Each structure stands twice: as structure tokens, then as C-alpha cells.
Amino acid sequence: MTILQGIAFACMFLLAWLALSQVNWVDLLKIESNRKKLEEKLGKIFLETFMHDNQVNDRCITGPIDSMVQVILDRNELHGFPVKIYILRNDEVNAFALPGNQIIVFTGIIKSADSPEELCGVLCHELAHIEKGHVMKKLIKEIGLNALISMATSGAGPDLLQKTAGLISSTAYDRNLETEADLRAAELLDKAKIDPRPFAGFLTRVIAEEGNNPALMPWINTHPDSERRAHDILVHAGQNASDYHKPLSDQIWKEIKELVTK
């Protein structure tokens, strides 16, 4: 039996080596490089569309939020995964990912969050969309690869640019991608020692408050079936509640809330 297993292993190794030897690694690496360049170019185009003059540059707000994200990345060992957070002064309760590892966060969602854990959940959800490649999948499905390449190389007309920007900021991913991002967010939070349960509570609360707060509509439209998703997050949350810690002190969180409300 040992001899037969050895022969079988040798055959499998030979077949794998032959298969790999047929791969054109130069072309594959070129495709990967071109993909990254396309994402970076599209990311710059969309970022300019959203930025206008309402970017928040107050380090008392951006500094702690950037630090929270970095802790999440470090504790999940996502080294070499640069993510840039842009906070925009806008009362809509919304946050969304852009190509090129960028996340837009409206101050409205910071105002709506009751705790830094809730905000971390939102950020981890968007991080998961980036990590899983959902942003480009969504754009390719809805806009088409050729249109995106044309947009990146020769520019886009105002109608197409407006349509694509609206797609990114206010249209949901399909249910499978949203579920995947939810579960990955719960995992990212758990490994970062941040309690995922407040994020589930946030999803439930925005549904309950929908009728009294029109600013919640962008988030609800982008994240349908929030009650079911909250349940899934709770089911997949870790069982190490005693190990969780606050991502920000109460004082710093209070200061951030006061500053975004001004």
C-alpha cells in the first residue's frame, strides 16, 4: 500500500507540474497588473465625483477612525492591504466602497451610530466588499467591462458617470454578496476583539427608525432584508464576548459625535 501511495503521489506531482508549466505566467501577471491599474483609475474618477468641497479633514475625527481601521487590518493580518477612508459631510446615513481600496463614509452614518462598535461593523462590511472583489464584480455586471475600460482610458460622459456613481452609492449588491460581506465583517470584528453584536443591532434599528428618519433611506435601499442579516451576524459572531474591548474610549467617541454634529 505504501508503494502504491508513493507512485500515486508521484503521478499527481508530475501532472501538477506539467499543468503549471503550460501556464503563461507573464500574461497572467500582466492581466493582474492591468486589473489593478483599471481599479485605481476608476477609483480616482469616482472619488472626484463624490468629494466636491465636503471632505472632513479634522484629524480629531479622521485620526481615531483611521486608527480603528488599522487595528482591524493588523489583527486580521491583512498586511499589504492599504485602505483609504474618506469622510464626507453629508446627513445621509450611508457608507460605500469604491474601486481602488477606498471607502466613503458620510457623517450621517456616524451621527446615527450609537457606539464605535456599530461604526466598526459598517466599516468592516465595506472592507469585506473590497477584500472579496465585490465592487468590480458589481460594476462589471451592471455597466460592462468595456464601458469601464473606456471610462478609465478616454473619460466618461456626465450621464454615464452619474449613473455609475449612483450605482456605487445607492444600489445593493445581490443577496449572496451582501451575506458574504456580513459574515466576513463579523469575522473581521471578532478577530479584532470588537463585539459584532452592536453591528447586528444597528441593522435592526435602522429598519425600526425608517419611517421617522428619511436620511436612513440610502442605507436601507443599499442593505435590504436587514433583520435577517442581523440574525445571521449574531449566529456567526464569536463566543468570546469577555475578550472584546472598546475600539475607542467613551470620551473620544463623544468628541467625534459632537464634531460631526456641528
Side-chain angles (χ1 to χ4, degrees):
M1 180 63 71
T2 303
I3 294 176
L4 291 176
Q5 287 177 334
I7 294 173
F9 177 80
C11 291
M12 290 174 61
F13 177 82
L14 180 60
L15 289 172
W17 181 83
L18 289 172
L20 290 172
S21 67
Q22 302 303 311
V23 175
N24 190 328
W25 293 104
V26 173
D27 286 347
L28 281 179
L29 291 173
K30 187 180 296 185
I31 291 171
E32 177 66 12
S33 175
N34 289 337
R35 181 189 66 79
K36 288 183 178 180
K37 289 179 181 178
L38 174 62
E39 287 194 33
E40 289 173 359
K41 180 62 176 178
L42 290 173
K44 290 179 180 178
I45 293 172
F46 295 137
L47 184 63
E48 290 174 0
T49 302
F50 288 107
M51 293 298 281
H52 304 298
D53 298 320
N54 57 349
Q55 182 180 3
V56 174
N57 292 309
D58 189 338
R59 287 297 297 169
C60 292
I61 299 173
T62 62
I65 292 175
D66 286 340
S67 296
M68 286 197 307
V69 173
Q70 192 58 54
V71 167
I72 291 166
L73 294 175
D74 290 344
R75 290 186 175 168
N76 282 273
E77 299 183 353
L78 292 175
H79 308 301
F81 186 70
V83 176
K84 179 64 177 176
I85 309 294
Y86 294 93
I87 300 174
L88 305 186
R89 196 166 289 282
N90 189 314
D91 285 336
E92 287 186 355
V93 179
N94 207 2
F96 47 91
L98 298 179
N101 295 5
Q102 303 173 112
I103 296 175
I104 298 287
V105 178
F106 286 172
T107 51
I109 208 164
I110 301 175
K111 294 178 187 178
S112 183
D114 284 344
S115 68
E117 287 88 349
E118 289 187 0
L119 181 59
C120 281
V122 171
L123 293 170
C124 283
H125 181 88
E126 301 307 328
L127 281 172
H129 279 316
I130 292 174
E131 183 188 22
K132 299 294 184 180
H134 293 171
V135 184
M136 288 302 294
K137 287 179 182 178
K138 175 180 176 179
L139 289 174
I140 290 171
K141 178 182 177 181
E142 300 292 337
I143 303 297
L145 181 59
N146 289 337
L148 293 173
I149 292 174
S150 177
M151 186 184 299
T153 54
S154 57
D159 291 341
L160 178 58
L161 188 58
Q162 184 176 5
K163 175 185 176 182
T164 310
L167 177 73
I168 289 176
S169 64
S170 61
T171 305
Y173 295 86
D174 66 47
R175 178 169 293 185
N176 290 336
L177 296 187
E178 287 289 7
T179 299
E180 186 178 12
D182 283 338
L183 301 185
R184 178 55 175 156
E187 181 181 354
L188 290 170
L189 290 165
D190 192 55
K191 288 187 177 180
K193 305 300 182 185
I194 299 171
D195 193 346
R197 293 171 296 181
F199 177 46
F202 177 79
L203 291 174
T204 303
R205 194 175 72 251
V206 294
I207 290 294
E209 295 178 358
E210 172 186 1
N212 299 322
N213 189 352
L216 287 169
M217 286 307 298
W219 178 262
I220 293 170
N221 289 340
T222 310
H223 298 79
D225 208 1
S226 293
E227 289 183 343
R228 178 192 61 81
R229 294 171 54 208
H231 175 265
D232 290 344
I233 291 171
L234 290 174
V235 169
H236 289 82
Q239 303 301 315
N240 302 317
S242 61
D243 294 336
Y244 295 143
H245 66 85
K246 290 185 176 184
L248 291 176
S249 70
D250 292 340
Q251 181 60 35
I252 290 177
W253 177 245
K254 180 182 177 182
E255 290 174 358
I256 290 174
K257 294 276 284 185
E258 289 175 348
L259 288 169
V260 298
T261 302
K262 289 182 178 180

